[in-house]
């Protein structure tokens, strides 16, 4: 078998899970490249994961880099910050640079309506969506559009409360979603189109300010200080679930992959995450899917308890991506893991 990894470079944008992606790529024998904004390159220099560092004034300059990426056989691995860097899906679709994953599935992730259709078809339980504030008949969470990281989300249980709390958010687009009382659980999967197998890589819960710290002060102080909860994410914490919950976790992921193949040719490939709330009855409510690597995998750069069961070496999700590219190159099936949108 010839070593084709040396013909390719793996690159990503400097933020989110880039350290993990580049470390994983290097562990699999690829050269690595980071594309970062000026003034934000220090982590990639200090942690020594990048063979090349490209600095941009703005991610708007990405198209100017395109020819170089093509000439140097650079495979871009997308992550959460990728989509705010590319102004829209159209811009990403127009790019001819090699791209890991299936671009065709992205519109299904980006539109909340399409996401719900996908998850419902997979037979998952979803929180209810209220069409208008007057329909509110129980606790709900108001979420704004765009990857704001949960900033400013608020809770309401009546239309009056909603109208009061929405005041500072004039002109923002929002959805009103049933608030599920339970424990948040984010499950990180990897689906390989080469083996047809779904892997559970790891799980996390988010560390959000200020909801995760509000309990440090008494309820009386919370009221006296007039504190509103906010869900701005600042980090991620590892979670391992009761083993008896695993069969359902696998079957949820498998259904999502199965349905994705009916939605678009090639379907969902590589890493993805189901974002859930688990109720006291241990029922899963899925409120979102991320069709790419999530930052919740970052605590597992050295592998997770689950990948430790399956692999003989530390296997992060970032490394699993690089492994998939390597296996696809070796078996001449690269078109199964790099699927363009056009
Ligand atoms: P992403 O970056 O994944 O798009 P986001 O910024 O849209 O995330 P969410 O993940 O949707 O934010 O939600 C932020 C917080 O609200 C999380 O703590 C999540 O667990 C919680 N949450 C979201 N939806 C619900 C719900 N329906 N019921 C209860 N809690 C919820």
């Amino acid at each position: 078998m010839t070593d084709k990894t040396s013909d390719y470079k793996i690159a990503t944008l400097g933020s989110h899970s880039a350290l993990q992606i580049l470390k994983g790529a290097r562990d699999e024998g690829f050269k690595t490249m980071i594309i970062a904004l000026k003034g934000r390159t220090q982590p990639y220099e200090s942690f020594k994961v990048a063979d090349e560092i490209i600095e941009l004034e703005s991610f708007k300059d990405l198209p100017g880099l395109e020819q170089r990426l093509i000439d140097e056989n650079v495979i871009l691995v997308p992550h959460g910050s990728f989509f705010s860097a590319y102004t829209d899906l159209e811009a990403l679709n127009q790019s001819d640079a090699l791209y890991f994953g299936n671009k065709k599935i992205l519109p299904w992730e980006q539109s909340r309506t399409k996401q719900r259709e996908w998850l419902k078809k997979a037979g998952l339980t979803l929180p209810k969506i209220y069409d208008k504030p007057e329909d509110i008949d129980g606790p709900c969470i108001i979420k704004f559009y765009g990857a704001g990281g949960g900033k400013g989300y608020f809770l309401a249980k009546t239309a009056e409360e909603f109208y009061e709390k929405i005041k500072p958010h004039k002109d923002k687009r929002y959805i009103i979603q049933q608030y599920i009382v339970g424990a948040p659980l984010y499950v990180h999967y990897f689906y390989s189109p080469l083996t047809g197998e779904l892997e559970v890589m790891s799980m996390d819960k988010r560390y959000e300010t200020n909801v995760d710290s509000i309990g440090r002060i008494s309820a009386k102080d919370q009221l006296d200080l007039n504190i509103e909860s906010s869900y701005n994410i600042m980090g991620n914490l590892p979670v391992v679930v009761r083993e008896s919950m695993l069969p359902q976790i696998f079957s949820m992921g498998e259904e999502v992959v199965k349905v994705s193949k009916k939605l678009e040719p090639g379907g969902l490939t590589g890493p993805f995450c189901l974002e859930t709330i688990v109720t006291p009855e241990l029922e899963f409510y899925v409120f979102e899917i991320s069709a790419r690597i999530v930052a919740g995998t970052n605590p597992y750069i050295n592998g997770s308890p689950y990948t430790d069961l399956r692999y003989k070496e530390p296997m992060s999700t970032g490394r699993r991506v690089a492994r998939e590219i390597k296996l696809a190159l070796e078996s001449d099936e690269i078109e199964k893991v790099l699927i363009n949108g056009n």
Side-chain angles (χ1 to χ4, degrees):
M1 216 178 282
T2 53
D3 173 24
K4 295 185 182 163
T5 52
S6 54
D7 295 340
Y8 290 84
K9 281 180 199 168
I10 288 187
T12 194
L13 305 185
S15 192
H16 195 269
S17 46
L19 289 168
Q20 182 197 156
I21 291 169
L22 295 196
K23 160 99 168 70
R26 184 174 279 172
D27 287 345
E28 291 299 305
F30 289 95
K31 288 269 177 251
T32 61
M33 175 194 276
I34 193 80
I35 305 164
L37 293 181
K38 275 215 170 83
R40 304 194 60 87
T41 55
Q42 193 180 8
Y44 310 103
E45 287 157 16
S46 173
F47 293 120
K48 306 201 185 305
V49 291
D51 295 312
E52 275 172 80
I53 298 180
I54 296 185
E55 288 182 66
L56 296 180
E57 285 293 345
S58 151
F59 282 129
K60 288 201 184 88
D61 301 336
L62 270 171
L65 205 59
E66 169 122 343
Q67 197 52 50
R68 175 165 171 198
L69 300 180
I70 295 169
D71 293 344
E72 296 182 19
N73 267 347
V74 173
I75 300 173
L76 290 170
V77 176
H79 54 55
S81 304
F82 219 80
F83 302 106
S84 30
Y86 274 93
T87 41
D88 54 28
L89 277 187
E90 197 55 41
L92 187 61
N93 270 332
Q94 274 165 13
S95 160
D96 287 325
L98 300 174
Y99 172 93
F100 177 80
N102 186 355
K103 282 189 190 172
K104 292 195 180 81
I105 214 73
L106 294 178
W108 290 91
E109 187 210 32
Q110 299 258 312
S111 145
R112 286 196 198 261
T113 324
K114 287 183 132 186
Q115 258 206 27
R116 279 183 81 79
E117 189 187 328
W118 177 5
L119 297 175
K120 273 191 180 164
K121 277 188 179 152
L124 305 181
T125 308
L126 278 60
K128 192 158 100 183
I129 296 289
Y130 294 94
D131 290 334
K132 49 183 193 309
E134 287 66 28
D135 295 342
I136 295 175
D137 59 359
C140 56
I141 178 164
I142 289 75
K143 300 181 176 184
F144 298 105
Y145 280 80
K151 199 172 176 187
Y153 288 10
F154 63 87
L155 304 183
K157 56 181 188 312
T158 60
E160 295 70 48
E161 197 179 346
F162 167 86
Y163 283 117
E164 191 52 39
K165 291 184 173 173
I166 198 77
K167 278 181 188 161
H169 304 284
K170 253 210 225 120
D171 302 332
K172 279 196 205 160
R173 285 183 70 209
Y174 59 80
I175 56 158
I176 307 173
Q177 195 176 79
Q178 176 190 6
Y179 185 82
I180 310 297
V181 180
L185 177 72
Y186 296 72
V187 186
H188 321 139
Y189 298 92
F190 189 97
Y191 175 70
S192 167
L194 304 175
T195 63
E197 209 181 333
L198 177 80
E199 297 168 38
V200 168
M201 301 299 293
S202 46
M203 300 170 202
D204 78 293
K205 62 180 244 177
R206 293 179 170 185
Y207 194 34
E208 293 165 329
T209 177
N210 55 14
V211 281
D212 289 321
S213 53
I214 228 161
R216 287 161 54 91
I217 55 178
S218 69
K220 181 182 176 304
D221 284 341
Q222 290 174 31
L223 292 172
D224 288 350
L225 298 171
N226 204 11
I227 296 172
E228 282 294 340
S229 48
S230 177
Y231 297 81
N232 203 5
I233 185 158
M234 57 148 293
N236 302 84
L237 303 166
V239 176
V240 168
V241 291
R242 283 169 69 167
E243 200 159 309
S244 58
M245 291 163 72
L246 285 174
Q248 193 180 350
I249 285 177
F250 273 100
S251 98
M252 291 193 308
E254 272 158 6
E255 288 307 314
V256 163
V257 171
K258 205 190 290 171
V259 170
S260 76
K261 292 181 184 176
K262 294 185 191 142
L263 300 178
E264 294 294 341
L268 179 61
T269 59
F272 68 99
C273 173
L274 289 182
E275 311 188 354
T276 76
I277 306 284
V278 184
T279 68
E281 293 73 36
L282 299 186
E283 214 187 325
F284 288 87
Y285 277 79
V286 179
F287 61 89
E288 195 163 320
I289 179 169
S290 294
R292 38 141 182 114
I293 188 169
V294 289
T297 59
N298 283 339
Y300 304 109
I301 289 185
N302 210 27
S304 78
Y306 297 109
T307 60
D308 196 34
L309 293 166
R310 194 184 156 104
Y311 290 94
K312 290 191 179 59
E313 62 268 282
M315 185 58 66
S316 67
T317 294
R319 183 170 183 181
R320 184 64 187 83
V321 167
R323 172 74 54 94
E324 189 77 354
I325 296 171
K326 186 163 137 182
L327 292 174
L329 286 170
E330 284 169 357
S331 58
D332 273 330
E333 295 176 287
I334 196 69
E335 73 292 343
K336 284 194 180 169
V337 303
L338 312 179
I339 308 176
N340 232 309
N342 303 313

